[in-house]
Amino acid sequence: MREDQEHGSQEREIPIPPDGAREAWASHFPANTVITSKYTVLNFVPKNLWEQLHKAANRYFLFISVVMFIGNYTPLFYGFIKFYSTFAALLIMMTASAVIAVIDDKRRHEADVITNSQIAHRIKADGMGGKGLVSEDVIWADVRVGDVLVVAGEEEFPADLVPLASSSEGGCYVSTANLDGETNLKLKEPASSTQRALVGGAGDARPLLDQAVERLHSLGESLLVAEAPQKSIHTFKGFLRTGAEVEEPLNSKNFLLRGTVLKNTSWVLGVVVYTGPETRMVMNSRKAKAKYANIEQVINRSMLVVVGAQCLMALINDIVYLMTKEQFMSYWYLFPTGPSQKIILPESIGYWLTFFVLYSNLMPISLYFTMEVCNTAQAYFIKNDIEMYDEGQDCPANARTTNLCHELGQVSYIFSDKTGTLTQNIMELKRLSIGGSVYGEVGEEYGFQGRAEMMMARYEDSRKNAGIDAALEVLAVSHTVVSTRDRAGNLKYEAESPDEGALVEAVRGLGWSFIGRTNEELTVEVDAEGYKTPRVYQVLALNAFTSARKRQSVVVRRPSGEALLLVKGADDIMQQLAKDPRSFPEEHLQMFAKQGLRTLVLGRRFLADQELQSWQADYAKAQSSMEDREAALAEVAARMESSLEIVGVTAIEDKLQVGVQDAIVKIRQAGIKLWVLTGDKLETAKNIGFSTRVLSNDMEIYSLDSSPDRPIEDELHQVLRSAKQADAARRTLALIVTGHALEEMLQPIGRSSSSGRMPASKPKGILQDQLLEVAMLCSVVIACRVSPLQKAEIVKIVRRGVHPTPVTLAIGDGANDVPMLQQAQVGVGISGREGRQAVNSADFAIAQFRYLVRLLLVHGRWNYQRACKFVIYSFWKNAVLANCCKALILRLGSVAVLLMFYYTFFSGYAGQSLFEDMVRASYNFVLAFPIITTGMFEQDLEEEQILANPGLYVNGREGLDLNASKLVEMLLSAAVHSCVIGTVMLLVCRDMYVLRAGDFYTFGTIVFTVLVIAMNYRAAFLTRTWNVVTVAGQLCSFLTYALFLAVYCCKSVSDKLQPWMYGVPGRMMSSPHFWICAFTVPALAMVIDVFKAYLLTEFCPDRSQIIMERWKEDKCFFEEERSDEEAEAPADLPGRSSPPVDSQRSRSSPRPRFQRWSSYDFAHPGGEPRHHSAFVNSHPTAGDLSLVGASEPADGYRRTATGVTATSASSTTALQLPSLQESDSSSEEESLGGSLAHNQNSPDRSRFAQQQLPRIQIDVTPGKVMAAAAVVGSLLLILGFTVLRLGEHAVEIRIRYGGAAGTGSVPFQMPADVVEHMADCDVSSGTCSLQLSLSQDMPPPVRVLYHLDPFYQNFPTYIASGSTSGAWGELTGRWFGHAERQKHCPEASTRMTETGDVVFPCGLQATSLFNDTFELRRNGAVLHISKDGVGNPEDRSRMANPPDYPDRSKVAWLYERFPEVISIDQGTTDPDFVEWMRPSAMPSLLKDVGRVDVSLLQSEMLTLHIHDRFPVSHLNITKTLVLLCPSALGGKSESLSRFLLHAGGLCWLLAIAVALINGFCKRTPGQPRFYGSRMPLEESESSTDSDVA
């Protein structure tokens, strides 16, 4: 063997007769299993993890989690945010994405199982020791190299085979549509030696297949030598050795590819050459390059800006911290041992990392997950849109790439194929030019309509009769069509292309019927004057079509003995080969081109015997050539194909698809530039452009074509100048460019620069840029005669050359469109007649071109606006993005993060978050539900409005909903919202202390809850379409958050995670301030938002708003006009409504006034010329497949693994199927035999799937703005007066007795009418006293509180000292070991006294207990200060002393360290200690001492004695004793009431302003107030083409 150890890098030798010793040899080659799935059980986790880490946000949050972990568990720097709070959220989001990936891959696995489990028929030795052979059924996965297989008709080849024999003696036809998308059948041939040996001379009555299998042993020791596996599907090299010296060369004709389907042949017997990954199909199955949506790219770029803003915010805090570090390190209760470096990193770096981690919420962790859910829903709606379902083909729309759904709303350029995309790929011969006369007309009737006229010409003129016969002879003889008979005996044709089939079928109706062919003969039946006479032509040679030759010819000998060459080809080539170029029918070609018909020129030449013999010798020599055989055959054919007599011209119509014209008009109205890329000639392409309304008569049309007389750069310069002048005159422009011109413009121009206009050293980009400049001035570009690679190159040039980078869409239906589909940002495949290769390579699939309008204008626009809303909202709630990278200022904010940023100024600049870690982690998850439902169902406009106003598409095309101005609006909105929340919460925080809701955990949760309410309001404000799902999204958000709080704050959970959260929801719900804030914040935000929206609509409307206003006015006008006409019209006259667009048949459009001649490039896909031998009649038993158990059923259909397929002649050409102009017609269903009765792919017709759930549309109108502002203003005024009245019941006396005088750390703290008294203090004795006379009565209970301002109980290390990471274990009565105490109480002085006693409980909080005592006397009698209500009951129930309290020695107990305030009986359960241990949210600390349960009357004298023990020297702390008779709101709440009253008044002012604007200076509907405002309306958008009118 020539096969090396790797079995695939060199050619292989395969013995042909099957034998039992083959298995061990075949095991060296790959199995025939094909795997398209991405994952296995073993590689799923690492592979999916690797894929997900390619997303920037996932890498960011993984990095942040690692940094948090380091900060939590190492002394490198302080990490106050628990790492699991972010990592858990990341894990949830990545798990959700992984589940989606599993679901997608499960479908691939199922498809692989179906594919690999299909049945193949293998021939093997009978195992009896003899030479008998039997057939066995095996699954495809078990097929091995060297196996001999029997493949029946309509079955798919399971591997790459070399055919040994077939039931038809000339070979077989195969369909390669599954492989390359081409519907034209390919002729394949077995090796002649094996065909003769296996089926030649078979004469007995046994089935032919049985005889062929039986004769396999007659091949002896035959050896098949095949080349190493390679990708090319058009080439194959090998040879078959059947004897010692006999080697028959093999090429691509002798090679059957996996995935192709056997057609028109009962069976083929072949040997397997390549299996599994070595087959051509698998080797050519490349993965399309990943496509990233524009919005995703914006998000990724935005994340860099987010990280930059995060770094900047961290740097600001870091600088401020370093500036104030010395001050805070002097606070003994925060740093008992004084200033010290307790982190390994330098403080400037360490604290920067602390703040960087703190602001990690700037990045919305849920954004990718939200996008995936919304994209999946949008793809689901596209798939199930009943308006894009073609019932005739049972073909719904499909979204194969979900992440590009919103890109459909941003398309600026469409690149369209013509044949099969704009046209139906149904070919009909419409006109014939013969002898100067033209027969037939273009019309709606099916087929050729010039038969009667032609018959009349035959009868009247004998010369015309001879000319007609000459042309029909070429069409009937010069082709590769194969004839078959169906079960009814009707003649049918199998053609390599629809064009060729249409021609043979047409001449059949004109009296020249092709009957069949044998190896060397071809039979035509000629109908002459009613008598049908068969003519048998001897086929001497066949010169096939290639893309280079652009012609086909056949050398035949007539029954009369005359030898002649019959040729048909493209007009430009045939003109060069014509004997008399002056007689060339240019006028008729030009006329046909104007009608958009595909032309083909017919020619012939009579051959002398001597010339023929000489040529045949050269032909035979070229056929046997082993090197460059194709070129040799082409050269030999070219010598014969000259001096041709031109006998006629055919004109074929490629019918337009239904609705193409109207679809193109709407596309142009939407402002999308349309490029048509086709293989037609320039003039044909131009006229197809007119017929499809791509071009219109009022356009200025420029052409670019290569010419030897003039350099392409000169022509391009002239076109560019003219285009600029025409554009300045506001004329609509179009450009037509040929493939030759493109090739010159895309290549280096050094050799073309001799004119001196451009230096020779300039790169090729100069002409590209100029071409692109011309194209950008044009609304339509048509590129003709372009190759598939040129199509992709054109798309690439536009994507790279246009700035900003546009969203490009390519649409096509054939395999030649695949490069273009993959290169474009969005690829749309049409499930047409050219196979499914385009659909399989596309991002979206539709059945007809007209559905593209709905896909873009309806789904695209909706999806784009949905995506913009959930992206803006996600960044708005986490980080408001302003995409201005050039500005070196902070352009991001966040409502949540801004509040955290503000809070750093109230927490000692140390990096403490306002929100508890797990509560903060729930933020993105809780708020995902409302915006997901908005991203699924939002419809700002109805379908009718969108389709009637294509200009509305401008929003997505120009990015008006996600641009710099929108981002600035977001920034301002976020700043306003955060200021409103921050201001309101600051106003109520003092009163919340009084009502025991001002601790760090309760206050932070209240602020967070108000934030959740405000964010859900924001999602509601962005939502215009309300249905049951969007309402459910809001409810789910609130219910999920409530459930989270209920679970997280229950005793069993909170004790393990954060014990101070126990009971928080109850205190929050019982606080009236929570309810005030829950109403005030979203109400004020709503008024601000609707007023801002009104101002923008009134003063700066965008283009879509103006378009809608104009449409509504026009609609009202036409409705009024119609109603008047109907009132005036007679009752018996029908209405004058026009038929809908989709119901109109395609028809001829007005033709341009001037044209040049044209022809169609009628070239088949490439392939080497074939032998002149063709099919012969099959053996009588050729169809007997009983050997493999595959008999043909009576109904004529074979059941295969891929479905039910017809065993009769394939219907791949236009002549086998009725016209599909109306896909939903009942006649079509009848013609297909009722096969559409149960369409398996019919979309889900439910209201949900059709996005037709009952809904309410909410718009911002002046009336609604006024009503909202007035109602909210009234409620705020009522609430403000209520707060004011309730606050009047509060009585407060303040006595400052120690520390420094200050203005307070928190604004709005001191009520205006509260008088502050100053106690006299003796510093040496530490006592203070004061006598005061009460200015008013103080009814019981009188609360006694102490106020320390500022005192930073909210400092990170201080808070942590009492949590589970601190001394919480000791607070509950558990002893820490030595190592545990060092871990939980890192400050040595807080766990050990100077004398060596153990401090219990340890920690900063427990060792800094406030121990001042107070005594109140009235008339000399001491007033009892009750401790009832001091300390939170939930905290007291869980705190406990250790079991050996207080007997354990060497312990410094609380009562020993603070005997003045802690009793020995209570210890850690003492109310004063419990009250102290719950940290305050703000540095303005206000805590309970107790209460006096007697009335204190006006003018009574009170004596106050204070023992000042709590050291505040050098701390700049003000100590104040507060006597307070609380109101229902805690204190007087004057600041809050004033704020509410002012806010209510402001809302009324806004309502009045709207009324004045609307009443006196309202903008005229449909007109911008200021030309040059946000989005001026361009004239091009407000007018339509003459065709539209």
Side-chain angles (χ1 to χ4, degrees), residues 454-526:
M454 188 177 290
M455 293 300 104
M456 183 65 68
R458 281 177 177 271
Y459 178 77
E460 293 177 349
D461 191 332
S462 60
R463 287 193 308 169
K464 287 186 177 180
N465 183 45
I468 291 173
D469 282 337
L472 298 183
E473 182 182 34
V474 175
L475 293 176
V477 177
S478 180
H479 57 77
T480 57
V481 174
V482 177
S483 64
T484 61
R485 300 275 181 177
D486 60 15
R487 292 184 177 276
N490 298 318
L491 187 65
K492 291 191 174 183
Y493 295 139
E494 289 283 359
E496 286 193 330
S497 75
D499 307 71
E500 193 165 56
L503 292 175
V504 175
E505 180 68 17
V507 297
R508 176 185 175 186
L510 297 177
W512 283 72
S513 299
F514 166 66
I515 301 301
R517 62 175 82 228
T518 65
N519 275 341
E520 298 179 351
E521 294 179 344
L522 181 145
T523 303
V524 176
E525 189 176 73
V526 180

Side-chain angles (χ1 to χ4, degrees), residues 889-1057:
I889 61 173
L890 178 62
R891 295 298 297 272
L892 320 176
S894 159
V895 176
V897 177
L898 278 175
L899 291 174
M900 296 167 64
F901 182 71
Y902 301 156
Y903 190 66
T904 59
F905 294 90
F906 298 96
S907 59
Y909 313 103
Q912 177 59 48
S913 171
L914 174 59
F915 311 120
E916 195 275 334
D917 287 341
M918 291 305 295
V919 173
R920 181 184 60 84
S922 70
Y923 186 67
N924 288 286
F925 179 75
V926 166
L927 295 178
F929 296 101
I931 201 60
I932 284 177
T933 58
T934 299
M936 291 169 58
F937 288 98
E938 178 65 6
Q939 299 176 7
D940 64 323
L941 296 172
E942 300 289 343
E943 297 176 18
E944 175 196 4
Q945 297 172 320
I946 296 173
L947 293 175
N949 296 276
L952 294 171
Y953 193 78
V954 67
N955 279 38
R957 183 168 53 81
E958 296 188 0
L960 303 185
D961 293 333
L962 188 60
N963 54 26
S965 62
K966 290 290 183 182
L967 300 173
V968 170
E969 289 176 26
M970 282 194 308
L971 172 65
L972 297 176
S973 176
V976 170
H977 279 247
S978 63
C979 288
V980 169
I981 296 173
T983 300
V984 173
M985 299 313 299
L986 282 176
L987 290 171
V988 300
C989 68
R990 183 180 183 276
D991 291 338
M992 291 175 69
Y993 288 131
V994 176
L995 299 182
R996 299 184 177 87
D999 64 274
F1000 174 81
Y1001 297 98
T1002 306
F1003 181 80
T1005 304
I1006 289 176
V1007 175
F1008 187 85
T1009 305
V1010 171
L1011 187 60
V1012 168
I1013 295 172
M1015 296 305 100
N1016 278 337
Y1017 145 73
R1018 181 67 179 184
F1021 174 76
L1022 293 174
T1023 304
R1024 295 183 61 184
T1025 304
W1026 286 89
N1027 56 35
V1028 64
V1029 180
T1030 51
V1031 173
Q1034 290 279 339
L1035 294 177
C1036 282
S1037 178
F1038 288 115
L1039 292 176
T1040 303
Y1041 179 61
L1043 180 63
F1044 164 76
L1045 283 184
V1047 172
Y1048 184 57
C1049 298
C1050 70
K1051 186 174 184 300
S1052 58
V1053 176
S1054 62
D1055 281 352
K1056 296 178 181 178
L1057 298 176

Side-chain angles (χ1 to χ4, degrees), residues 180 367 373 522 542 582 614 635 662 809 1040-1041 1222 1525 1534 1558 1580:
D180 59 12
L367 178 56
V373 174
L522 181 145
L542 175 68
R582 292 174 299 175
S614 174
E635 182 181 354
D662 299 291
L809 181 146
T1040 303
Y1041 179 61
E1222 291 293 338
C1525 290
E1534 289 181 355
N1558 196 55
S1580 61

Side-chain angles (χ1 to χ4, degrees), residues 1295 1297 1319-1321 1326-1332 1344 1412-1418 1420-1423 1425 1502-1509 1521:
I1295 303 99
Y1297 66 91
D1320 296 326
C1321 297
T1327 60
C1328 300
S1329 61
L1330 175 67
Q1331 287 189 344
L1332 58 90
V1344 181
D1412 287 357
T1413 56
F1414 309 94
E1415 182 183 71
L1416 280 175
R1417 293 177 179 268
R1418 183 176 61 179
V1422 177
L1423 295 176
I1425 300 178
L1502 294 180
T1503 304
L1504 174 65
H1505 296 284
I1506 303 173
H1507 291 278
D1508 185 2
R1509 303 183 184 89
L1521 180 67

Side-chain angles (χ1 to χ4, degrees), residues 945-1211:
Q945 297 172 320
I946 296 173
L947 293 175
N949 296 276
L952 294 171
Y953 193 78
V954 67
N955 279 38
R957 183 168 53 81
E958 296 188 0
L960 303 185
D961 293 333
L962 188 60
N963 54 26
S965 62
K966 290 290 183 182
L967 300 173
V968 170
E969 289 176 26
M970 282 194 308
L971 172 65
L972 297 176
S973 176
V976 170
H977 279 247
S978 63
C979 288
V980 169
I981 296 173
T983 300
V984 173
M985 299 313 299
L986 282 176
L987 290 171
V988 300
C989 68
R990 183 180 183 276
D991 291 338
M992 291 175 69
Y993 288 131
V994 176
L995 299 182
R996 299 184 177 87
D999 64 274
F1000 174 81
Y1001 297 98
T1002 306
F1003 181 80
T1005 304
I1006 289 176
V1007 175
F1008 187 85
T1009 305
V1010 171
L1011 187 60
V1012 168
I1013 295 172
M1015 296 305 100
N1016 278 337
Y1017 145 73
R1018 181 67 179 184
F1021 174 76
L1022 293 174
T1023 304
R1024 295 183 61 184
T1025 304
W1026 286 89
N1027 56 35
V1028 64
V1029 180
T1030 51
V1031 173
Q1034 290 279 339
L1035 294 177
C1036 282
S1037 178
F1038 288 115
L1039 292 176
T1040 303
Y1041 179 61
L1043 180 63
F1044 164 76
L1045 283 184
V1047 172
Y1048 184 57
C1049 298
C1050 70
K1051 186 174 184 300
S1052 58
V1053 176
S1054 62
D1055 281 352
K1056 296 178 181 178
L1057 298 176
Q1058 183 49 266
W1060 298 107
M1061 288 297 296
Y1062 177 52
V1064 164
R1067 289 192 294 277
M1068 178 180 71
M1069 300 294 286
S1070 63
S1071 171
H1073 303 92
F1074 164 71
W1075 299 105
I1076 292 173
C1077 296
F1079 166 75
T1080 302
V1081 169
L1084 276 176
M1086 179 187 68
V1087 172
I1088 295 171
D1089 286 340
V1090 297
F1091 182 73
K1092 181 199 74 174
Y1094 169 74
L1095 288 181
L1096 290 176
T1097 301
E1098 185 65 31
F1099 291 93
C1100 301
D1102 62 29
R1103 197 176 304 169
S1104 63
Q1105 291 170 335
I1106 293 179
I1107 292 173
M1108 280 307 303
E1109 290 171 1
R1110 291 185 176 182
W1111 177 77
K1112 289 177 181 178
E1113 283 201 341
D1114 293 342
K1115 184 179 180 184
C1116 292
F1117 172 77
F1118 286 124
E1119 286 179 352
E1120 292 175 2
E1121 192 177 59
R1122 188 183 304 119
S1123 63
D1124 293 340
E1125 292 175 357
E1126 291 174 355
E1128 296 173 0
D1132 58 344
L1133 291 180
R1136 288 184 276 179
S1137 60
S1138 60
V1141 170
D1142 289 349
S1143 66
Q1144 297 176 11
R1145 301 277 180 168
S1146 60
R1147 56 176 62 95
S1148 299
S1149 62
R1151 304 298 171 193
R1153 293 181 294 273
F1154 56 92
Q1155 295 298 328
R1156 293 164 51 192
W1157 68 273
S1158 165
S1159 69
Y1160 174 71
D1161 181 9
F1162 192 81
H1164 285 296
E1168 64 177 69
R1170 293 185 289 272
H1171 295 289
H1172 61 267
S1173 61
F1175 286 97
V1176 299
N1177 293 331
S1178 300
H1179 189 275
T1181 62
D1184 190 330
L1185 301 175
S1186 57
L1187 177 67
V1188 294
S1191 60
E1192 294 187 359
D1195 60 2
Y1197 289 88
R1198 181 183 307 285
R1199 277 74 182 171
T1200 67
T1202 58
V1204 181
T1205 56
T1207 59
S1208 58
S1210 172
S1211 325

